[in-house]
Amino acid sequence: MKKSYLLLLLFFCSLSAFSQEYFPKNDGVKTENHTLTAFTNAKIYVTPTQVIENGTLLIQDGKVVRTGTNISIPKNATVVDLTGKSVYPSFIDPYSDFGIAKPKRNSGSWRAAPQYDAQRTGYYWNDHIRPDINPIDKFSFDNKKATDLLKAGFGTVNTHMHDGIVRGNGMLVALNSKADNSVRILDNRSAQYLSYRKSNTSQQAYPTSLMGSMALLRQMYHDADWYAKGNAKRTDLALEALNANKNLVQIFHSGNKHNSIKTDAIGDEFGIQYVLVGDGTEYENIAAMKATNASFIIPINFPKAYDVSDPYSASVVELEAMKHWNQAPSNPKALLDNGIQFSFTMHSSKSGKEFKGNLMKAIKYGLDKTKALEALTTVPARILQQEDKVGSLQNGRQANFLITSGDIFDPKTVIYENWVQGNQNVFKDKSQKDLRGKYTFNVAGNDYDVTIVGSPEKLKATVMKDSLKLGSKIAFKNDWLQLQFTTPDTTKTEYIRLTAPVRNVKFFSGKAIIANGSETSFNATQKEVSKSKDKKGKGGKMEAPKMLPISYPNGAYGSATLPKQENVLFRNATVWTNEKDGILQNTDVLVKDGKIARIGKNLSAGNARIVDATGKHLTAGIIDEHSHIAAFTINEAGHNSTAEVNMEDVVNPEDVDIYRNLAGGVTTIQLLHGSANPIGGRSAILSLRWGRSADEMLFKDADGFIKFALGENVKQSNWGDTETTRFPQTRMGVEQVFTDYFQRAKEYEAKKKSGNYRYDIEMETILEILNKKRFVSCHSYVQSEINMLMKVADKFGFNINTFTHILEGYKVADKMKEHGVGGSTFSDWWAYKYEVNDAIPYNGAIMHNQGVLVAFNSDDGEMSRRLNQEAAKAVKYGGVSEEDAWKFVTLNPAKLLHIDDKVGSIKTGKQADLVLWTAHPMSIYAKAQTTMIEGTVYFDLERDAQLRRKIQNERNELMNMMLAEKNKGMKTQPAKKKDKVHHHCDTVEF
């Protein structure tokens, strides 16, 4: 023991020597306080898994000196007896904006014309890249917010400026209101933070979209690498800061589960493992979250039940939103069960009280308490690489700890104190005894059953004599109990008054004044400690409420299991081959291993499932050359050329329009960028594999395409009076944009061949066009511009692949044929803006008759599921044959997309992308009975009926649960409809 005491003294001396003050002070003689404090007889959670019963915690100079059971306490130590109390490490929030105000937009900036150049001199070309921001320059300790965090159990926050795409470094701050920044700032370069949100301090337009932010990040990383090699001719303070921060922890606010997947892919591309800040929906696609190998920081701001008491209001709430209310509290458990490291954050919580309530709810839904504590302490410390400072009560760590009445996750547990860097913050009197429980009070030989509930500071008592409830009143202060209750005699109101000092809550005794005024004694024996209570006061074990099964997508028409590829024999169908065989009557088609194996009569089924197609029509799946469904965003409008952006980055695999398109016989779409600029973004060709991931929907081995645009949209004719600064503003300017960018691409290619060049994603894409490795689909209307772009392409030695819309194609069909360009048009849309004034419904037929490859497209989420009927209009307007008209929505768009070797017709060896129709496929009465892609059925009429019943049953069950919540007095939110956005070419989100 003497040896241990000497070691402690040496340790204290070394601490004092190490922490010598070097600032001179002009405040006279001063004695430094190095008080040693010993907290004894406590249950100490050194870490969530290392727990000491009846232990001692020694702290000095704001740090933990030692924890254990047999610790020699120096005589000069202040001793605090914590018998019956628990000590936990204070919590850590790794994603905070504590003490840093978010910059506000300049007044009226939304009315001003957007800026297209950076305003920060000496920094990166985009103002929203701000790795140079240092939060210490903006930091001001917020006592009010600190108090709320301290009451919730937090002792440390990792704060940063919530502004910009790259937001600069973070700062680890102890919530010590009694110290200055030199003490409480533990690390002023604790992490680098990123997001997809632009900075509020700049009006620079680019990027205006999620895909633009992703493209900007990629280009930034390429530029940082190029800059680090000394290639730049000028100093770039932003890139220097980015390179200086690259070894810090990289924390990325991805925003949702879809973005988390794509964000991780960007990180993989550049050798970065991000820590991902999610939104609490990770459970809906947990396998994909696990595949990122990322650590997650998650909020626990679970939604309230919807008020569905009004049937009409209830009908507008989406099933997806209802299910999220029911399932969201299971998110932490889902992460835990799948071995995903996660930490909690107060970000998005309105208060510490709300945070704690939701934390309890997550535990109720199955989250292990030890793992919950890890998510608040050791895991955030590990994520931030600050385990040597915070997150535990191991030797040398910050003396940040909670003193509680018991289990921190028990709803009735009280946090008495939160010590930060050895400074005490008192919230409740820890000497206050907890009387809550069930007792037998014996007064003058009579037994009374007394139940005491409430909070330790504000108790309520229920007194029973046999089955009779007696009126009562209780007060407990400074360890003195005063209890008054009525006598069992109901004929008159008389009282029994009890007073007693309470030294032991298990058994105590005192004085009783009974009804006749005489004094006697009483004693009280505790029978049962108060159990945890829910909001309605019902005790017992916390059991998880009934949770509906999770499907993918986790809403209407989603499924818990994916459909499987199968061998199928369609027997006795009318087969529209789209090949030289034409339409075959009473014919069989065998699908095997995802391909069309045989076509003929009386085929042997083998082990294939037989489908009787008598009286029905079998066709190739419909292909929409121009679609905007299944996307989170459509336009990047920040520049006149955005060839660097990619629609593959923003595929939304959960868009219900995918399912609706399958119900309309659509199997393949080209997801196009919009028409906000002359040179738009790269497209994505999708197979509509409902229930699969975004990557699994990408059409295998397809050529690359890009969207160009002409006309009113790109010159911003209808964008408003402020949109007058971006070039081009005229049709002449549009031509010049194309010429300039193609010339720049040629010059870029020459520099690239020299070996000394800056990698430019935009130029790489345009170069692919010139080298005929990427193909142009161009939004077009007016004949003069159509002619113009063909001439520009001829000048630079390539062909335009497709003019889409092209409502004046009938005027230049001969020139289109000569150039070799196809036309993907509308069947009969016109008069929706001035430049379609000359549109006619015979456009498709005229181009077709001139030898132009013609398709009909939708450009609309509603029309896309009725393209079979659009094809019929080519028969009505222009007399196109039924077979050729059907090719307008099947084989011809397949040829335009260069995938006709795989899809678009029924031919042996092609993909089994097939639709079985209940009637003639161009009839308004025809329904798609079965839609398959590569032999997998993704839509079936019979299964659709089952899904509709399932949707209604789930809605009814969830509404009953929500009504029960409201009846319990729980807070609800108004029923509201989530508007379905149907994207078009001109949809722009700023």
Side-chain angles (χ1 to χ4, degrees):
M1 185 170 288
K2 190 175 289 186
K3 182 180 179 182
S4 174
Y5 180 72
L6 289 171
L7 286 172
L8 278 171
L9 285 176
L10 286 170
F11 183 73
F12 303 150
C13 291
S14 66
L15 275 176
S16 300
F18 182 77
S19 59
Q20 290 182 59
E21 183 62 75
Y22 65 92
F23 285 103
K25 294 185 183 292
N26 187 31
D27 54 1
V29 178
K30 182 177 177 65
T31 302
E32 292 188 359
N33 184 1
H34 296 288
T35 302
L36 173 68
T37 305
F39 299 87
T40 62
N41 302 316
K43 183 175 184 178
I44 302 173
Y45 288 77
V46 181
T47 70
T49 56
Q50 182 187 347
V51 185
I52 302 172
E53 298 286 350
N54 296 317
T56 297
L57 167 66
L58 294 175
I59 67 168
Q60 187 180 43
D61 294 333
K63 292 189 177 181
V64 175
V65 175
R66 194 175 176 192
T67 55
T69 53
N70 296 310
I71 294 177
S72 177
I73 301 173
K75 292 181 179 179
N76 65 336
T78 299
V79 178
V80 180
D81 184 4
L82 295 181
T83 300
K85 308 294 190 297
S86 297
V87 174
Y88 290 86
S90 297
F91 305 155
I92 304 165
D93 190 337
Y95 190 82
S96 175
D97 62 355
F98 175 80
I100 302 174
K102 187 175 182 180
K104 296 180 180 179
R105 288 188 183 277
N106 294 329
S107 178
S109 64
W110 65 273
R111 294 186 181 90
Q115 298 168 355
Y116 292 96
D117 297 315
Q119 302 301 302
R120 298 204 307 159
T121 304
Y123 294 86
Y124 196 56
W125 63 267
N126 191 280
D127 284 340
H128 308 297
I129 303 299
R130 306 164 64 80
D132 51 286
I133 297 300
N134 192 338
I136 199 168
D137 299 330
K138 313 285 184 181
F139 183 72
S140 177
F141 194 87
D142 187 334
N143 281 294
K144 182 178 179 182
K145 191 170 182 180
T147 299
D148 185 56
L149 288 164
L150 288 163
K151 286 181 177 179
F154 290 89
T156 315
V157 294
N158 206 45
T159 188
H160 73 287
M161 177 73 75
H162 286 212
D163 184 66
I165 291 174
V166 181
R167 299 173 162 187
N169 58 277
M171 187 167 71
L172 192 67
V173 180
L175 298 174
N176 185 356
S177 61
K178 299 172 185 176
D180 59 25
N181 287 348
S182 65
V183 174
R184 61 188 167 214
I185 295 176
L186 304 177
D187 189 343
N188 65 357
R189 287 177 50 76
S190 57
Q192 177 164 267
Y193 285 85
L194 306 92
S195 78
Y196 290 121
R197 293 182 179 273
K198 296 196 293 186
S199 170
N200 277 333
T201 62
S202 173
Q203 292 174 235
Q204 190 171 3
Y206 184 85
T208 67
S209 67
L210 173 61
M211 58 187 163
S213 294
M214 291 178 173
L216 176 58
L217 282 167
R218 290 189 179 97
Q219 188 61 59
M220 176 198 73
Y221 284 126
H222 285 301
D223 289 347
D225 183 60
W226 172 79
Y227 185 89
K229 294 174 182 176
N231 294 311
K233 294 180 181 179
R234 67 176 182 86
T235 299
D236 189 315
L237 297 175
L239 290 182
E240 287 190 0
L242 185 72
N243 286 326
N245 292 347
K246 69 180 182 180
N247 292 324
L248 299 179
V249 178
Q250 306 289 308
I251 300 178
F252 204 119
H253 187 278
S254 57
N256 59 51
K257 60 184 182 292
H258 304 289
N259 293 354
S260 289
I261 297 168
K262 187 55 65 175
T263 302
D264 183 70
I266 293 173
D268 291 345
E269 189 177 340
F270 294 95
I272 302 167
Q273 181 59 70
Y274 294 119
V275 175
L276 300 174
V277 182
D279 69 340
T281 61
E282 290 74 25
Y283 69 96
E284 294 183 331
N285 196 359
I286 199 69
M289 300 301 103
K290 184 175 183 178
T292 66
N293 293 317
S295 296
F296 280 79
I297 299 171
I298 59 168
I300 47 175
N301 52 336
F302 306 138
K304 296 180 180 67
Y306 291 93
D307 183 353
V308 292
S309 53
D310 175 65
Y312 176 77
S313 297
S315 68
V316 304
V317 183
E318 298 287 345
L319 177 63
E320 179 184 8
M322 288 185 173
K323 291 185 73 173
H324 182 56
W325 162 76
N326 174 249
Q327 299 164 346
S330 71
N331 189 53
K333 184 178 187 297
L335 293 165
L336 174 62
D337 290 347
N338 285 272
I340 300 170
Q341 179 172 264
F342 67 94
S343 169
F344 291 129
T345 175
M346 275 271 290
H347 178 65
S348 297
S349 295
K350 294 178 182 177
S351 66
K353 183 178 179 181
E354 180 187 76
F355 177 85
K356 184 176 180 181
N358 283 328
L359 184 59
M360 300 302 184
K361 199 168 189 178
I363 292 169
K364 189 175 180 181
Y365 272 69
L367 175 63
D368 178 76
K369 289 183 178 181
T370 300
K371 295 300 181 181
L373 185 57
E374 289 179 353
L376 291 162
T377 55
T378 52
V379 171
R382 190 181 310 132
I383 286 174
L384 297 171
Q385 299 177 7
Q386 302 284 347
E387 294 170 280
D388 61 330
K389 297 186 181 77
V390 290
S392 72
L393 296 177
Q394 294 170 310
N395 297 354
R397 306 308 190 270
Q398 295 285 307
N400 299 348
F401 58 92
L402 308 173
I403 299 174
T404 74
S405 62
D407 180 353
I408 189 68
F409 299 120
D410 189 319
K412 74 182 182 70
T413 292
V414 176
I415 297 178
Y416 294 118
E417 297 174 7
N418 189 345
W419 289 64
V420 179
Q421 295 185 309
N423 285 305
Q424 181 186 35
N425 298 278
V426 179
F427 303 119
K428 304 287 184 183
D429 181 3
K430 64 176 177 289
S431 65
Q432 177 79 39
K433 292 182 172 61
D434 190 351
L435 268 184
R436 293 173 296 178
K438 291 184 178 181
Y439 292 81
T440 297
F441 276 61
N442 185 276
V443 184
N446 293 308
D447 285 343
Y448 297 86
D449 293 318
V450 180
T451 302
I452 302 175
V453 297
S455 64
E457 303 80 17
K458 192 174 182 180
L459 298 173
K460 295 179 181 179
T462 302
V463 182
M464 303 288 296
K465 179 60 176 172
D466 300 325
S467 60
L468 181 64
K469 182 178 179 181
L470 307 177
S472 62
K473 186 176 181 181
I474 189 172
F476 184 56
K477 190 174 182 180
N478 297 327
D479 292 342
W480 274 88
L481 170 69
Q482 291 182 322
L483 177 63
Q484 173 182 293
F485 55 89
T486 58
T487 63
D489 186 354
T490 58
T491 62
K492 52 186 175 179
T493 303
E494 294 183 318
Y495 294 92
I496 298 174
R497 295 175 176 84
L498 310 179
T499 58
V502 180
R503 295 181 179 84
N504 184 343
V505 298
K506 300 294 183 183
F507 178 85
F508 54 88
S509 59
K511 182 174 68 173
I513 301 175
I514 57 178
N516 60 11
S518 61
E519 291 188 14
T520 186
S521 63
F522 82 94
N523 59 67
T525 305
Q526 189 180 70
K527 298 187 297 182
E528 184 179 315
V529 177
S530 176
K531 294 182 179 178
S532 300
K533 311 288 181 181
D534 62 20
K535 289 188 177 181
K536 298 302 289 181
K538 296 177 181 177
K541 183 181 178 182
M542 293 202 311
E543 295 180 358
K546 181 178 180 181
M547 196 175 81
L548 268 64
I550 297 168
S551 62
Y552 190 81
N554 198 31
Y557 305 104
S559 177
T561 57
L562 289 169
K564 295 181 180 179
Q565 191 180 81
E566 55 182 330
N567 297 336
V568 178
L569 176 64
F570 293 98
R571 179 159 284 169
N572 205 32
T574 300
V575 180
W576 295 57
T577 66
N578 282 347
E579 298 288 342
K580 63 181 179 180
D581 293 333
I583 300 174
L584 303 175
Q585 303 292 331
N586 303 319
T587 299
D588 300 347
V589 175
L590 178 64
V591 173
K592 189 175 182 180
D593 300 327
K595 295 187 180 297
I596 299 167
R598 293 184 64 192
I599 305 167
K601 295 182 182 292
N602 301 317
L603 298 181
S604 173
N607 64 348
R609 177 170 65 89
I610 297 174
V611 175
D612 183 6
T614 304
K616 297 169 185 174
H617 295 247
L618 188 69
T619 73
I622 291 173
I623 299 170
D624 191 351
E625 185 274 341
H626 185 144
S627 179
H628 296 306
I629 69 165
F632 289 109
T633 186
I634 292 300
N635 272 298
E636 173 47 61
H639 287 157
N640 54 23
S641 169
T642 55
E644 72 279 2
V645 308
N646 195 336
M647 295 305 297
E648 290 184 5
D649 282 339
V650 290
V651 173
N652 177 8
E654 298 183 16
D655 184 356
V656 72
D657 277 341
I658 296 171
Y659 184 79
R660 291 169 178 165
N661 270 246
L662 288 164
V666 182
T667 55
T668 307
I669 66 169
Q670 178 176 213
L671 174 54
L672 279 171
H673 186 276
S675 56
N677 30 34
I679 300 176
R682 291 167 280 173
S683 65
I685 299 176
L686 305 180
S687 283
L688 300 183
R689 298 182 176 92
W690 178 244
R692 305 282 177 176
S693 69
D695 286 346
E696 289 172 318
M697 286 191 181
L698 298 177
F699 198 98
K700 300 169 188 173
D701 303 320
D703 284 344
F705 283 76
I706 189 171
K707 174 75 172 288
F708 278 18
L710 307 168
E712 294 180 12
N713 293 355
V714 301
K715 64 189 184 73
Q716 300 181 297
S717 299
N718 307 312
W719 288 36
D721 295 338
T722 62
E723 305 296 326
T724 57
T725 57
R726 194 193 79 179
F727 185 85
Q729 294 286 304
T730 66
R731 296 181 193 268
M732 294 178 293
V734 174
E735 178 178 3
Q736 195 60 46
V737 167
F738 293 125
T739 300
D740 287 353
Y741 272 92
F742 289 137
Q743 182 60 38
R744 284 175 56 191
K746 291 180 68 174
E747 294 169 3
Y748 173 81
E749 184 176 37
K751 187 172 287 188
K752 185 177 179 179
K753 289 177 180 177
S754 73
N756 183 22
Y757 75 107
R758 167 185 168 268
Y759 186 88
D760 189 319
I761 302 172
E762 181 184 30
M763 287 294 109
E764 289 284 338
T765 303
I766 296 173
L767 192 57
E768 287 178 346
I769 299 168
L770 294 178
N771 293 333
K772 301 179 182 180
K773 294 179 180 179
R774 185 170 295 278
F775 304 92
V776 175
S777 181
C778 184
H779 165 114
S780 55
Y781 289 100
V782 180
Q783 64 169 328
S784 60
E785 289 190 299
I786 297 166
N787 273 324
M788 174 272 290
L789 190 58
M790 288 191 289
K791 290 177 181 178
V792 170
D794 288 340
K795 177 182 176 181
F796 285 93
F798 71 96
N799 280 44
I800 303 300
N801 188 87
T802 309
F803 280 113
T804 189
H805 301 336
I806 194 158
L807 295 186
E808 290 190 17
Y810 66 93
K811 297 181 180 181
V812 290
D814 54 341
K815 294 179 180 179
M816 291 173 63
K817 170 67 175 175
E818 182 181 351
H819 183 76
V821 62
S824 182
T825 188
F826 297 130
S827 63
D828 61 351
W829 273 22
W830 62 79
Y832 52 90
K833 59 180 176 178
Y834 185 77
E835 67 182 355
V836 302
N837 201 41
D838 285 357
I840 60 174
Y842 298 91
N843 183 46
I846 293 173
M847 288 192 294
H848 170 71
N849 292 337
Q850 288 294 312
V852 175
L853 185 62
V854 176
F856 282 168
N857 66 67
S858 74
D859 189 20
D860 179 77
E862 283 296 317
M863 184 189 287
S864 59
R865 56 198 181 111
R866 299 184 180 90
L867 280 173
N868 64 314
Q869 296 170 31
E870 296 298 300
K873 294 176 183 178
V875 180
K876 176 178 176 64
Y877 298 111
V880 177
S881 71
E882 287 190 0
E883 285 190 62
D884 283 346
W886 187 245
K887 290 177 184 177
F888 278 19
V889 295
T890 51
L891 184 59
N892 290 6
K895 289 179 178 179
L896 291 174
L897 296 175
H898 306 179
I899 54 176
D900 55 301
D901 60 325
K902 299 180 180 69
V903 294
S905 66
I906 298 178
K907 181 180 180 181
T908 302
K910 280 195 172 185
Q911 284 182 197
D913 288 16
L914 302 172
V915 184
L916 183 64
W917 301 88
T918 59
H920 189 295
M922 289 186 284
S923 167
I924 61 171
Y925 300 108
K927 294 180 180 179
Q929 177 177 305
T930 301
T931 304
M932 70 164 46
I933 299 174
E934 289 192 277
T936 301
V937 175
Y938 286 96
F939 176 82
D940 179 80
L941 268 180
E942 184 178 337
R943 184 170 179 272
D944 179 72
Q946 295 171 358
L947 285 172
R948 289 172 187 268
R949 289 191 293 270
K950 175 174 173 279
I951 290 167
Q952 192 57 54
N953 291 337
E954 287 186 338
R955 287 183 64 85
N956 291 340
E957 190 170 2
L958 287 164
M959 282 192 285
N960 286 335
M961 290 182 190
M962 291 183 181
L963 287 171
E965 286 276 294
K966 184 177 181 180
N967 292 337
K968 289 178 184 176
M970 301 293 194
K971 290 183 179 179
T972 58
Q973 61 176 312
K976 53 191 173 184
K977 182 177 178 63
K978 181 182 178 182
D979 291 333
K980 175 72 174 76
V981 178
H982 286 294
H983 295 296
H984 297 93
C985 276
D986 56 356
T987 304
V988 179
E989 299 93 1
F990 285 103

